Amino acid sequence: MTQKKSLLFVLSLLILLPVNLQTASAQNLDSISDYSIMLTMSPLHIEEGIHNHQIGFVYILSKSGIPIISSKDVSISLSSNNPQLASVPETIILKANQEHASFNISTLSGTGEVTITATLGTKTSFQKIQIGNSEDHLPDDLILELNLPTDEMHVNSKMPFTVYLRTSDGFVIRAPFDIIVDLEYEKSLAIPNSDILTIKKGQYYAWGTLDSNEKVGNTFLRALQKDSGLDTAKSVKISSTLPTSLAINVFPKLISTDVKKQLDVFVNVVDSDGNPTVTPEDITLNFFSNDQHTVGNKLDETMKKIKPIIKKGQFGYYLRQNLDLSNLLSNDIVIGVSAEGYGIATDTFSTVEKSLNIDNKKIIEKDVQLFIPERMPSNATSIVTYQLSAVENDDDDVDENGDPLIDQTSDTENKIIHSIDDLDDGELYPIQTNENYYADGYVKKLNVISGDNNLVSIKNIGKIESGNSFGTAIITSGQKSGSVLISASIQGVGSDSALTEVVNTLEQKEARIFSPTGQDTILFDREGNFDVFLIAIDSQDRPKILKHDSKYLITPTNGIVEIKKDTTFAFARLHSDSFTIAEEKNNLELNVIPIGEGADLSLETTKTFVTQPSSKILVYLPADKINANHKNNIGIIQLVDLQGNPIIPSFDVKSKITSSKENVVQVIYDAVIPSGLSYATFPIQTRGIVGDSVISASAKGVIGTESDISTGSSLTKLKIYASGIDQIIPVDKQVEIKLFIDDENAESVPGASIKITTDGNSQVTPNIVRTNSDGSAVVSVTATNGPNISLNLIATAEGYSEGKDTLTINVDAPDKTLNAVDLELPEWIVYVVIAAILLIGVLVVLFLKKSKTPIEEEWEEDI
């Protein structure tokens, strides 16, 4: 006992070194009752087909839901409720000190939902997984769209159309299975190439063609998806450039009755829309009039001499008709024309009393009046009629004797034929020439010009013969369409101008880009590809059959699209490296530029579309709450459509994966989704810090997504409690103390180890003890000194963070002076210690005295 106390005394002069205690992170599951297992499948929806998918993960979780590792191998049982569709191993081993166990799911042919179950003792966990797309019906919120490039068609032509399904917010869906769309239509006008269109599984739309027949009219096309009760319809107008009726123009509108006169009659054909056109066959004309005695008979005589015919390939027929109107009994004379199968057309002219010579003194002001058909087709011939006229001035209204005309209005009410004085002020009255007016070399008393010779050129100016008031020019149109101003001038008289429009209803006006997934929307796939139709459109907004191959450059994709001869459209899949994909809408402007020899640059068009992505990349975390001290964790990315169905890329998809807080978790490298699979794994490393982060994944051409992840500790801290201690214990008497170990949830912890160290004033037996099933342990304490003693307690248990505490106990012991007896040392040692202390004191005095002198001497020298 004396040696022990001596050793204790000596050691008390030493400085104790701190010791770090290591906590074991691996845990013996046999000593833990409150844990669970977690089975997770990532991703939860995989593609169908025969394949081994390593997407199963099993974790052991602490009471707080944090993954823990086992100190020894753990066998876990697995089962599938449908092994004919997807099977799993019967057992897997969670290796000691491993964070999770992974396993393969072997899929066979077929689609459906499978439940996988994991069992560890009495602990179970299950997870459902979808294999392929087994839906047998469509969602209720879809809209069926029938998409046409135009609602106009020409007879005997063709145009494409598409059908697709979209959500209420405008996203085109990818068909989860073959979707049948039935078509209804009016058979007599236009017929689709098939009565059924099928949006194939994995596709976004289906397309067909609508072929018009030879009849004109208004038809419809209706699309029905019977299983979902969806339908939609569009109307289509079928028109033709073939002639369907006649039109007639009689020029001029006023002629005199006192001498034999002539009249211009021009008859032309128009199509079903009233546009001027040319006839594919000869059309025999029959003329008639409401004044048979004066005008009708003359027309009959003319038709006996010549057979008026609009010849094949021509626009109209021009007739210069001689008339004798001296016995006219009525005015406002109608001249009509008819043709079998084309109906009747009429026009009206009027007469005046007697002609005035151009030199008549009554004529104060002269002018020229121009008559021209308002419209003509391209590559056709028409006429321009110009007439000399006097301008009526009411101030010169006098009779033959020079007396002013009184009550002019009442005089003209019953008149059949009017004189110039019967006209209103400013109206025109025909006058006769007394010489020929024509254009001859540099002498041009008469001239007719065109504002654009490319649209209309003057073929023959014509002339006004002496004794007549008008003349007629012949004009021809070119290939192009548009309006042009025709002007006629007569020397010494005046000039006039009139617009005529050249109409080429079959002329191509546009190369229209038509998106199969919406009038204004383009759907991109993840590689940047998108589908378009390029359609030749004529001036009536109808698909046009081209007479030669036509090539177009589409920018900024720089794709070349060619519409072949005798077709109206071409389909193309274009690619863009510059497109952007985001949840929000983006615009893409496409330009169509004609290329090739003789390309018509007027056909260049621009169309702005809203880009819509078709896929996104998902981030899966098998455990979104991971252990901060377990470095090796895993994440999964998957390529899916906008409805969440897996997409299998045709080539490897490179991703970019980032962590918002790399001091919490770090992504080591970016994953690559291989061709043939929809998913890939990537490693996640923890940094030993508890916190939150966001894992984000992106790839070119798809919408990126993110997922939250958090780190925590699976170890709860142990807490130490004591009982059986009085307020004061006696010295040198053994006392039992009961210690209790709980976790942070006040649950008893059995099997915990408690290590006890003293401050040297007590003895503890044993100094290491393990708790019983109720979390308690008993130790004996003997106080050797007072007035109090301290016990340092350290509690450890597998799966827990160590707990520390200090227990201070009051001791009933009298105060004592330190002497040799107390220390149980020999008496001579006391004298030695006292002598040593006195010696140290003397040495200190001498040291100080010796040191002081040099410092003073140096100070004195400095002075």
Side-chain angles (χ1 to χ4, degrees):
M1 184 71 176
T2 301
Q3 292 178 348
K4 291 182 179 178
K5 289 191 175 182
S6 301
L7 181 60
L8 178 64
F9 176 76
V10 175
L11 292 176
S12 64
L13 299 176
L14 301 176
I15 300 174
L16 298 177
L17 296 175
V19 178
N20 290 329
L21 297 176
Q22 300 295 326
T23 302
S25 59
Q27 302 172 52
N28 186 349
L29 300 183
D30 295 335
S31 63
I32 303 175
S33 61
D34 199 359
Y35 70 90
S36 62
I37 66 170
M38 179 179 71
L39 168 67
T40 180
M41 315 288 279
S42 296
L44 291 173
H45 192 172
I46 57 176
E47 52 271 22
E48 63 180 286
I50 300 174
H51 197 86
N52 286 325
H53 299 275
Q54 189 171 343
I55 60 172
F57 305 90
V58 178
Y59 295 81
I60 297 178
L61 304 181
S62 68
K63 184 175 181 179
S64 58
I66 302 296
I68 60 177
I69 62 177
S70 174
S71 59
K72 59 183 180 180
D73 291 354
V74 176
S75 178
I76 300 171
S77 300
L78 299 176
S79 64
S80 168
N81 72 334
N82 188 358
Q84 289 74 31
L85 182 58
S87 61
V88 294
E90 291 184 0
T91 59
I92 58 172
I93 302 298
L94 174 57
K95 295 287 187 180
N97 299 314
Q98 294 296 314
E99 293 145 8
H100 65 266
S102 62
F103 60 92
N104 285 347
I105 297 177
S106 300
T107 57
L108 303 175
S109 298
T111 62
E113 189 176 73
V114 178
T115 300
I116 308 298
T117 303
T119 303
L120 174 59
T122 60
K123 316 288 185 180
T124 62
S125 178
F126 67 89
Q127 180 75 66
K128 293 181 179 180
I129 184 171
Q130 178 68 44
I131 300 171
N133 299 322
S134 60
E135 296 95 336
D136 56 2
H137 66 280
L138 296 170
D140 295 332
D141 62 342
L142 295 182
I143 299 170
L144 177 63
E145 291 286 359
L146 174 60
N147 194 21
L148 305 175
T150 177
D151 58 2
E152 301 270 353
M153 286 190 73
H154 188 271
V155 295
N156 298 320
S157 67
K158 179 183 294 187
M159 76 173 176
F161 67 94
T162 63
V163 291
Y164 60 90
L165 291 163
R166 66 171 177 85
T167 61
S168 56
D169 54 359
F171 285 100
V172 181
I173 73 161
R174 182 167 168 255
F177 50 86
D178 286 356
I179 299 174
I180 305 299
V181 179
D182 295 301
L183 299 175
E184 294 181 355
Y185 49 91
E186 167 55 54
K187 296 181 179 180
S188 64
L189 294 175
I191 300 176
N193 62 320
S194 174
D195 291 347
I196 295 175
L197 289 181
T198 302
I199 306 176
K200 294 290 187 180
K201 179 180 179 180
Q203 299 299 315
Y204 293 88
Y205 69 93
W207 69 278
T209 57
L210 186 65
D211 295 78
S212 59
N213 299 326
E214 295 182 353
K215 297 181 179 179
V216 299
N218 210 43
T219 189
F220 73 93
L221 183 63
R222 184 186 181 197
L224 305 94
Q225 212 295 306
K226 295 179 180 179
D227 293 337
S228 58
L230 300 174
D231 73 302
T232 183
K234 294 288 182 68
S235 64
V236 179
K237 181 182 178 182
I238 311 294
S239 58
S240 173
T241 56
L242 297 175
T244 59
S245 58
L246 302 175
I248 186 172
N249 287 284
V250 177
F251 301 137
K253 295 301 180 184
L254 283 177
I255 61 175
S256 60
T257 61
D258 57 343
V259 294
K260 291 183 178 180
K261 296 298 177 187
Q262 293 178 324
L263 196 68
D264 280 348
V265 179
F266 188 80
V267 181
N268 62 271
V269 287
V270 294
D271 63 21
S272 58
D273 289 329
N275 296 312
T277 186
V278 297
T279 177
E281 58 186 5
D282 291 350
I283 299 176
T284 301
L285 303 177
N286 293 291
F287 292 99
F288 61 89
S289 174
N290 64 336
D291 188 333
Q292 182 62 33
H293 178 71
T294 305
V295 179
N297 288 336
K298 288 292 184 181
L299 291 172
D300 291 341
E301 292 175 5
T302 299
M303 288 186 290
K304 289 178 180 179
K305 294 179 181 179
I306 58 174
K307 289 184 178 181
I309 295 174
I310 302 177
K311 293 184 178 181
K312 177 181 178 180
Q314 293 185 353
F315 163 56
Y317 175 77
Y318 168 54
L319 172 65
R320 172 66 67 90
Q321 179 63 51
N322 295 316
L323 296 174
D324 184 355
L325 303 175
S326 58
N327 297 319
L328 190 66
L329 299 178
S330 62
N331 214 329
D332 297 329
I333 303 169
V334 174
I335 291 182
V337 64
S338 65
E340 186 176 355
Y342 297 93
I344 296 174
T346 61
D347 198 10
T348 302
F349 73 96
S350 299
T351 62
V352 293
E353 187 174 41
K354 59 181 179 179
S355 61
L356 296 178
N357 188 277
I358 194 171
D359 296 327
N360 193 306
K361 295 180 179 180
K362 189 176 181 63
I363 301 174
I364 300 175
E365 182 181 357
K366 299 185 288 291
D367 204 350
V368 175
Q369 190 172 15
L370 197 64
F371 305 96
I372 186 172
E374 293 181 355
R375 308 172 79 192
M376 64 183 299
S378 59
N379 300 318
T381 300
S382 186
I383 66 168
V384 176
T385 301
Y386 41 87
Q387 185 177 34
L388 294 172
S389 300
V391 181
E392 162 61 350
N393 187 341
D394 287 342
D395 294 338
D396 65 355
D397 289 347
V398 295
D399 60 17
E400 293 179 354
N401 299 320
D403 297 326
L405 296 173
I406 306 300
D407 196 13
Q408 176 180 338
T409 303
S410 61
D411 292 340
T412 59
E413 284 181 353
N414 298 318
K415 277 189 173 183
I416 295 176
I417 304 174
H418 296 166
S419 67
I420 188 172
D421 295 322
D422 297 323
L423 303 179
D424 292 334
D425 191 22
E427 287 190 317
L428 298 179
Y429 190 89
I431 56 177
Q432 295 180 174
T433 65
N434 51 17
E435 60 178 318
N436 293 330
Y437 283 82
Y438 56 91
D440 184 12
Y442 293 102
V443 179
K444 292 187 177 180
K445 290 187 177 182
L446 170 67
N447 198 14
V448 180
I449 61 173
S450 168
D452 187 344
N453 286 326
N454 290 324
L455 288 174
V456 172
S457 61
I458 310 302
K459 185 177 181 181
N460 186 343
I461 292 177
K463 64 181 179 178
I464 302 176
E465 295 180 346
S466 178
N468 286 279
S469 67
F470 70 90
T472 303
I474 305 299
I475 60 175
T476 57
S477 59
Q479 177 66 30
K480 296 295 182 181
S481 60
S483 296
V484 60
L485 192 68
I486 305 298
S487 302
S489 61
I490 299 176
Q491 189 178 51
V493 178
S495 64
D496 191 18
S497 299
L499 277 174
T500 188
E501 181 183 6
V502 179
V503 178
N504 184 354
T505 56
L506 291 180
E507 179 187 9
Q508 184 179 354
K509 283 293 187 181
E510 180 186 354
R512 178 173 298 173
I513 293 181
F514 170 60
S515 170
T517 53
Q519 292 292 331
D520 302 309
T521 302
I522 279 184
L523 185 72
F524 279 91
D525 66 15
R526 62 150 307 277
E527 291 112 7
N529 299 316
F530 60 95
D531 297 343
V532 295
F533 292 88
L534 193 62
I535 305 172
I537 299 293
D538 68 18
S539 61
Q540 298 302 110
D541 204 42
R542 301 171 300 198
K544 171 182 172 55
I545 299 175
L546 295 184
K547 295 181 179 179
H548 52 79
D549 296 345
S550 297
K551 290 184 178 180
Y552 303 88
L553 170 67
I554 300 181
T555 62
T557 64
N558 300 323
I560 305 296
V561 180
E562 183 178 14
I563 303 177
K564 292 291 187 178
K565 176 184 177 181
D566 297 326
T567 63
T568 61
F569 70 93
F571 172 83
R573 171 158 289 184
L574 302 178
H575 177 81
S576 174
D577 289 323
S578 61
F579 75 103
T580 57
I581 291 296
E583 292 279 8
E584 63 273 9
K585 294 181 178 179
N586 292 282
N587 291 334
L588 174 67
E589 186 176 270
L590 295 179
N591 303 302
V592 181
I593 305 169
I595 57 174
E597 185 177 353
D600 185 0
L601 294 181
S602 67
L603 297 178
E604 181 176 343
T605 58
T606 298
K607 173 73 173 178
T608 300
F609 293 93
V610 175
T611 62
Q612 183 182 115
S614 60
S615 57
K616 58 185 176 182
I617 191 167
L618 296 180
V619 180
Y620 290 101
L621 302 172
D624 57 4
K625 186 183 291 185
I626 59 178
N627 198 318
N629 297 314
H630 297 171
K631 287 189 175 181
N632 299 320
N633 298 276
I634 198 166
I636 297 95
I637 58 172
Q638 186 182 29
L639 190 65
V640 300
D641 62 24
L642 299 186
Q643 288 70 49
N645 300 310
I647 294 177
I648 301 175
S650 56
F651 56 86
D652 294 352
V653 178
K654 297 180 180 180
S655 69
K656 179 65 177 176
I657 308 173
T658 60
S659 170
S660 64
K661 293 183 180 178
E662 292 194 345
N663 63 325
V664 177
V665 294
Q666 186 177 25
V667 178
I668 305 304
Y669 60 81
D670 300 324
V672 176
I673 300 176
S675 60
L677 276 180
S678 66
Y679 60 90
T681 60
F682 62 93
I684 301 174
Q685 282 193 354
T686 58
R687 308 301 295 273
I689 296 176
V690 174
D692 300 318
S693 184
V694 176
I695 305 296
S696 302
S698 61
K700 182 180 178 181
V702 303
I703 299 174
T705 60
E706 59 187 30
S707 185
D708 296 330
I709 191 171
S710 63
T711 61
S713 175
S714 63
L715 304 179
T716 60
K717 191 172 183 180
L718 297 176
K719 294 187 177 182
I720 307 171
Y721 303 92
S723 68
I725 304 175
D726 296 331
Q727 292 183 351
I728 189 168
I729 65 173
V731 73
D732 295 329
K733 185 176 180 181
Q734 194 176 66
V735 177
E736 284 191 349
I737 299 175
K738 195 170 188 178
L739 301 176
F740 295 90
I741 306 299
D742 290 351
D743 63 14
E744 293 176 341
N745 299 311
E747 297 287 341
S748 299
V749 179
S753 176
I754 307 172
K755 183 177 182 180
I756 308 165
T757 59
T758 71
D759 60 355
N761 293 321
S762 64
Q763 294 180 347
V764 178
T765 304
N767 63 347
I768 297 177
V769 67
R770 190 172 294 276
T771 59
N772 299 319
S773 59
D774 63 351
S776 67
V778 177
V779 297
S780 297
V781 179
T782 302
T784 59
N785 207 347
N788 55 53
I789 61 174
S790 295
L791 303 179
N792 297 317
L793 309 175
I794 300 176
T796 59
E798 187 177 21
Y800 296 89
S801 177
E802 70 177 12
K804 294 181 179 181
D805 206 347
T806 299
L807 181 61
T808 301
I809 307 172
N810 295 322
V811 178
D812 183 13
D815 295 336
K816 294 182 179 180
T817 303
L818 180 65
N819 52 42
V821 176
D822 295 330
L823 297 175
E824 296 183 12
L825 297 176
E827 191 173 289
W828 61 269
I829 292 180
V830 175
Y831 291 110
V832 172
V833 171
I834 293 173
I837 292 173
L838 290 174
L839 179 60
I840 291 172
V842 172
L843 292 174
V844 169
V845 170
L846 292 175
F847 175 80
L848 293 174
K849 187 175 181 179
K850 184 178 180 180
S851 301
K852 185 177 179 182
T853 303
I855 294 176
E856 292 177 347
E857 289 177 355
E858 290 175 2
W859 181 77
E860 289 175 354
E861 290 177 0
D862 291 339
I863 295 177

